[in-house]
Amino acid sequence: MRVGIYGGTFSPIHNGHVAAALAFMEQMWLDLLFVVPTGQSPHKQMSNGPTASDRLNMCRLAFEGHEGIIVSDTEIKRNGKSYTVDTLREFYREDDRLFMLCGTDMMLSLDSWYQPQEIFWLCYPVYIRREDDEETKKRLIEKNAEYKKKYGKIVTRINAPAVVISSEEIRKKIKEGQSIHGLVPEKVEEYIYKQGLYL
């Protein structure tokens, strides 16, 4: 089987995340895609935000009805800091091919993550771009050459239109009383207001 992993804080999950997940599934011919909200991220501080349970619920609402997409609580259930390599170990099966989706900034810093050698051994990293500038394009090409030399793999690019939305922008709009309609799935929007999140 071809299995995808798409991890993130998802606070909140928005239409850009959903579009990226669907493009990932289609272009990598995935049989299954696991969306994995982060537990305690080693990279991001998540105090004063929604609970892990809220983020998990929002992800489940966002992907409701999408066949082959499963929202997993594996990182949320894990105690302590959550490293990507630990998640990949959990999902790795010898007979399957594992793919991991990341953004541009993550793609450029993969070799600084915890145990990058094993990350490249366990999966085929895939990235999606949110921007389209020549300087970043040049850095991506150079970085991929480094990865090929160091780990024997390159990071494949997903071709999809950039959906320029950020969770930070959405949180700011909510706090300022502005509408977020059209930025997040409708059921996620309803959940945010019902639970009084990000106020």
Side-chain angles (χ1 to χ4, degrees):
M1 286 179 68
R2 295 169 71 86
V3 178
I5 304 290
Y6 182 21
T9 309
F10 302 125
S11 185
I13 189 159
H14 55 63
N15 289 338
H17 292 132
V18 175
L22 297 177
F24 180 35
M25 193 154 193
E26 183 185 342
Q27 292 182 38
M28 290 293 106
W29 299 86
L30 301 179
D31 296 295
L32 277 180
L33 171 57
F34 289 96
V35 174
V36 188
T38 309
Q40 186 184 339
S41 170
H43 307 294
K44 290 187 181 180
Q45 187 59 254
M46 292 187 294
S47 60
N48 302 324
T51 64
S53 177
D54 283 323
R55 292 185 294 109
L56 186 70
N57 289 337
M58 286 189 282
C59 285
R60 285 178 171 153
L61 289 169
F63 291 105
E64 213 172 65
H66 287 282
E67 196 176 335
I69 300 181
I70 299 164
V71 177
S72 168
D73 62 357
T74 187
E75 287 198 4
I76 285 169
K77 286 194 300 189
R78 194 181 298 146
N79 291 323
K81 286 188 176 177
S82 221
Y83 290 99
T84 297
V85 71
D86 296 323
T87 301
L88 292 172
R89 284 174 188 148
E90 281 193 45
F91 285 99
Y92 178 80
R93 300 289 179 274
E94 203 171 305
D95 295 333
D96 293 343
R97 183 167 283 206
L98 198 57
F99 298 85
M100 177 183 72
L101 182 63
C102 53
T104 309
D105 51 343
M106 293 163 66
M107 184 279 187
L108 290 168
S109 64
L110 270 174
D111 52 350
S112 70
W113 290 19
Y114 180 62
Q115 299 192 351
Q117 183 89 37
E118 190 173 355
I119 288 173
F120 275 87
W121 183 82
L122 289 166
C123 76
Y124 292 84
V126 176
Y127 75 99
I128 191 163
R129 289 192 66 179
R130 286 184 183 173
E131 65 299 296
D132 192 19
D133 64 280
E134 286 304 310
E135 183 55 38
T136 304
K137 186 178 178 181
K138 187 182 169 193
R139 286 172 62 215
L140 289 163
I141 291 167
E142 288 169 355
K143 207 69 191 175
N144 244 340
E146 276 183 48
Y147 294 153
K148 177 72 175 171
K149 193 174 177 181
K150 280 163 88 171
Y151 309 115
K153 281 182 186 172
I154 61 165
V155 185
T156 306
R157 180 183 174 185
I158 292 281
N159 292 306
V163 181
V164 188
I165 306 171
S166 77
S167 294
E168 187 179 359
E169 173 197 346
I170 291 165
R171 292 194 298 269
K172 189 180 174 196
K173 280 181 179 292
I174 295 167
K175 198 159 191 173
E176 293 174 355
Q178 297 178 43
S179 172
I180 58 165
H181 192 68
L183 299 178
V184 299
E186 281 188 28
K187 288 184 178 179
V188 172
E189 184 180 358
E190 288 168 14
Y191 185 90
I192 288 170
Y193 289 123
K194 189 178 179 183
Q195 300 299 320
L197 304 179
Y198 308 112
L199 295 172

